[in-house]
Amino acid sequence: MAAVFNPQRLILGRKRRKLTARALAGAVGVSPITISRLENGANEPEIETVEALAQALSFPKAFFYAEDVDELPAEAASFRSLSSMTAKERDAALSAGVIAYLFHDWVAERFNLPGSEVPNLRGDATPESAAQIVRAHWGLGQLPISNMIKLLESKGVRVFSLCEDTANVDAFSCWRDDQPFVFLNTFKSAERSRFDAAHELGHLVMHKHGAPQDSRQAESEADRFASALLMPADDVTSRIRYVSDLDSLIPAKKRWGVSVAALAYRLHKLGVVSDWQNRSLNIEMSSRGYRRREPEGLPGESSALWPQIFTALWRERITRDHIAAEIHVPTSELDGILFQLTGRSSEAGDEPARIRLV
């Protein structure tokens, strides 16, 4: 049976490259109506056209003849910076998420990955109490969280990178049936990336399969959840009774792995810092440039899961190139969704779960 061109794959590839149908038509040398008819499934393209599409979009020809993929609609994903994001940036990030689905499904067929232990607390708790429930459910007590990515992975959350060439795409999360996914901008500081990870966990916990109608409310709730999860009230107030100046917060913030700004905000909400002090601290942080560059920054976090996967695959002489060829995407796309996540091997005792090739 001859392979059939898949219009869905063409749309996915075009959006991944941030191209309009008109721009793609110009790159391929056909009319915009031709691209439109191909995407609508009205025409079956000539092989020369498919070759031109593959070259213009930097996807192998086999990509356009593969099966349908699960789409990631915008309403299913929680984006941190939706207001500053263009439609092209949003669609490119969502398309990267679909490619992550392809990679994940390939891996899930071969490994026993950790199952999800993310509770569904939608409408059942305030953000602060939701954070307490999650800590209790996962047996974290009041201790600081040493590595957010590894914690999420150990509880069945699939964490991927967003290697986008824009500052407008921070992070997003989504549920795919009963499987939670988080996509992080791994170019950011470790402190901000950790907060993003906790923020996205808040969405997964409190806004499963849909957020409140007011997206600002959802973002505020996720921020409050992240703040309470990373900086438990009892632990913070038992160690910081008063704040003398901004410099005193720099060593203190390392305990909880957060930014100076996040710690100052939490102390204000807990009543340790007064309104006047909070304004003064914010002014000084801005003047010192701490909004753009974190003082005494922490080392970046990496995955424990994906290095285990690739180590096991390498024993079978299976490389990223092999995986990319089997799911019909460029190896660079795999590198993008795993960027900086596989940089360091997991330390002993810090693995999410013992996985095995099945």
Side-chain angles (χ1 to χ4, degrees), residues 206-235:
M206 298 184 294
H207 309 137
K208 184 174 183 180
H209 300 310
Q213 291 182 351
D214 182 359
S215 61
R216 291 183 180 178
Q217 176 188 338
E219 289 300 295
S220 174
E221 288 175 352
D223 275 343
R224 288 165 55 193
F225 173 93
S227 186
L229 183 79
L230 291 171
M231 296 169 279
D234 290 346
D235 192 38

Side-chain angles (χ1 to χ4, degrees), residues 282-335:
N282 278 292
I283 292 170
E284 189 170 0
M285 279 188 282
S286 296
S287 68
R288 292 190 187 186
Y290 289 174
R291 304 289 187 186
R292 300 180 302 275
R293 176 186 51 80
E294 187 63 30
E296 299 184 20
L298 301 175
E301 295 185 349
S302 60
S303 166
L305 180 65
W306 302 129
Q308 287 187 70
I309 296 290
F310 284 111
T311 298
L313 290 172
W314 178 243
R315 295 193 188 105
E316 305 295 323
R317 295 298 184 263
I318 299 174
T319 66
R320 293 192 191 197
D321 290 339
H322 285 105
I323 302 171
E326 289 205 13
I327 63 176
H328 311 304
V329 301
T331 304
S332 60
E333 290 294 334
L334 291 189
D335 292 339

Side-chain angles (χ1 to χ4, degrees), residues 22 31 45 55 92 108 162 186 218 236 268 276 292 298 318 322 346:
R22 181 175 293 277
S31 67
Q55 183 174 1
L162 276 176
T186 48
V236 173
H268 180 227
W276 177 86
R292 300 180 302 275
L298 301 175
I318 299 174
H322 285 105
S346 56

